[in-house]
Amino acid sequence: MYGKMHSACLYGIEGVMIGVEVDLANGLPQTNIIGLPDSAIREAALRVRSAVRNCGYRYPQQRVTINLAPADLRKEGSAFDLAIAVGILTTSGQLVMPSAGKTLMIGELALDGSLRPVTGVLPMVEAARKAGFGAVLLPRGNAAEAALIGGMRVYAIDHLRELRGQEQPDSSVLSADAAKCSGAPGTSGETDVTAHAGEQHAAGEPGGVDSLPFPVTTDSGAGTLSQPVMALSLEHLRYAPPVIFSASVEAADILKEDYSDVLGQHHVKRALTIAAAGMHNLLLIGPPGTGKTMMIKRLPGILPALTDSEALEVTQIFSAAGKLKDAQRGLIRERPFRSPHHTISGAGLIGGGGVPKPGEVSLAHRGILFLDEMPEFTRSVLEVLRQPMEDHVVTISRARAAFTFPARFMLAASMNPCP
């Protein structure tokens, strides 16, 4: 028996679609995950087994092979747990999902079946939208972040047990629901879905698949549907985007350090204004206590707001780095301000790791990178800033691939005239 779900992983700061293939065969009961998984993915077999059993489902007593395609791409993280669990349940006949081909599934499973949020959801959902997917099923903790991508239906669940439904008296109702979900030609469901999607887009909400039926069988036999079939519409799980705060409330909350607080220092304020107007690099030299750090920290207050494309770009970087803390407010609209400590390493500044992650220069993309007490930074760390400042990108090469991160930032630094 064979089944396939769709999930995603991060490749640098970009999302990559991954096919989760499940094969059940006769043999000694064991679970193998192939396709260059890391330790967290290999451990998913134990998490999924416990979650499936603790949710009242049956884990197949067969030889289970899970392939993550493409097989030549190294994968990491725990975002495949939900797709693996649903793939095993559908392949063993305990769930039926007609629209699995156009639904992205991401999420980490706990041993009791509850779902935990994962990092990098925004670039993953964006990659799914570009690939033609219409819906995403994920933990409720990631729903606000996923809702930032237009054109995608967001279905949020807290527990694997929520994949349950109401009993249908006739199997013809199930067939009608499945046809409606898949948009089969000649069915009334196709017209309903199209009309509903048009209303969604007209209202400025994400559009896509109208309903996702999950028929659930209560039979313990693998692949049999002898018991009454239950159909589940995930519309009641659909995530409603939050109400965005008013501009006045956001401004009062964000601009805690205002440029107007600086009294005097007219020549320095003129230099800050010129630097902000053209995104020029800036170095302030002066004795301690003259306000160098204080003025540079207020520099973001006079920078223009990010455009829509820039805001999406910055938000994707923070999501991939796991630093997007408040997705309820929507896209990041204020320019980033990063001030690393002078003990930072070169890899921490430009990015690195076994699977490279963005560094401070990429987190400061479209914003300000502030080096306080610049002479305290080591020479090797300062030297690695040459190429990002010239090319506005960082390229990190590894044995299997080269990763490119954006790094268009304003460098602001301060120093004393002598040690």
Side-chain angles (χ1 to χ4, degrees), residues 97-328:
M97 187 178 179
S99 58
K102 289 300 179 183
T103 302
L104 174 69
M105 298 182 186
I106 49 181
E108 176 185 338
L109 279 174
L111 298 185
D112 63 346
S114 59
L115 267 78
R116 295 171 177 154
V118 296
T119 60
V121 168
L122 193 65
M124 293 182 194
V125 177
E126 174 67 12
R129 185 191 64 81
K130 292 180 179 178
F133 284 67
V136 53
L137 181 66
L138 76 176
R140 194 171 301 277
N142 291 127
E145 186 176 347
L148 299 177
I149 302 298
M152 291 287 291
R153 289 289 183 88
V154 179
Y155 298 98
I157 59 176
D158 293 315
H159 205 281
L160 198 61
R161 289 196 188 99
E162 296 184 34
L163 301 182
R164 303 275 183 182
Q166 298 179 350
E167 184 174 346
Q168 298 291 342
D170 190 355
S171 60
S172 61
V173 179
L174 172 63
S175 302
D177 285 342
K180 178 181 177 181
C181 177
S182 60
T187 62
S188 59
E190 182 181 14
T191 305
D192 295 340
V193 172
T194 306
H196 188 72
E199 295 173 1
Q200 293 286 342
H201 286 294
E205 297 181 9
V209 181
D210 185 25
S211 62
L212 297 177
F214 270 79
V216 183
T217 68
T218 58
D219 188 18
S220 60
T224 63
L225 299 175
S226 59
Q227 296 294 326
V229 175
M230 303 175 69
L232 169 65
S233 174
L234 288 188
E235 274 302 307
H236 69 286
L237 301 177
R238 186 182 174 194
Y239 175 79
V243 178
I244 303 300
F245 298 101
S246 62
S248 59
V249 175
E250 280 191 297
D253 186 39
I254 295 173
L255 300 179
K256 296 179 180 178
E257 296 179 340
D258 193 67
Y259 185 73
S260 62
D261 296 337
V262 182
L263 303 179
Q265 301 282 15
H266 298 291
H267 61 297
V268 182
K269 291 170 71 174
R270 174 171 172 78
L272 293 175
T273 304
I274 296 174
M279 292 295 287
H280 302 297
N281 300 324
L282 181 72
L283 172 64
L284 298 185
I285 304 176
T290 54
K292 303 184 298 297
T293 302
M294 180 268 295
M295 286 185 284
I296 291 181
K297 284 185 176 180
R298 283 160 172 76
L299 184 57
I302 60 174
L303 290 176
L306 294 170
T307 63
D308 291 341
S309 60
E310 292 175 343
L312 180 60
E313 192 176 8
V314 171
T315 307
Q316 285 183 344
I317 295 175
F318 275 76
S319 175
K323 299 182 180 296
L324 187 61
K325 301 302 181 182
D326 190 9
Q328 296 284 345

Side-chain angles (χ1 to χ4, degrees), residues 347-364:
L349 191 63
I350 68 169
V355 178
K357 298 292 184 182
E360 290 293 330
V361 295
S362 297
L363 293 174

Side-chain angles (χ1 to χ4, degrees), residues 53-143:
R53 289 177 174 176
N54 291 330
C55 290
Y57 297 108
R58 175 186 52 81
Y59 196 86
Q61 296 299 313
Q62 296 172 279
R63 187 183 187 93
V64 181
T65 303
I66 301 167
N67 179 43
L68 305 179
D72 60 343
L73 179 66
R74 186 167 297 277
K75 307 159 190 74
E76 66 171 5
S78 56
F80 300 102
D81 290 7
L82 180 59
I84 293 174
V86 176
I88 291 176
L89 293 176
T90 55
T91 306
S92 61
Q94 301 176 72
L95 290 180
V96 180
M97 187 178 179
S99 58
K102 289 300 179 183
T103 302
L104 174 69
M105 298 182 186
I106 49 181
E108 176 185 338
L109 279 174
L111 298 185
D112 63 346
S114 59
L115 267 78
R116 295 171 177 154
V118 296
T119 60
V121 168
L122 193 65
M124 293 182 194
V125 177
E126 174 67 12
R129 185 191 64 81
K130 292 180 179 178
F133 284 67
V136 53
L137 181 66
L138 76 176
R140 194 171 301 277
N142 291 127

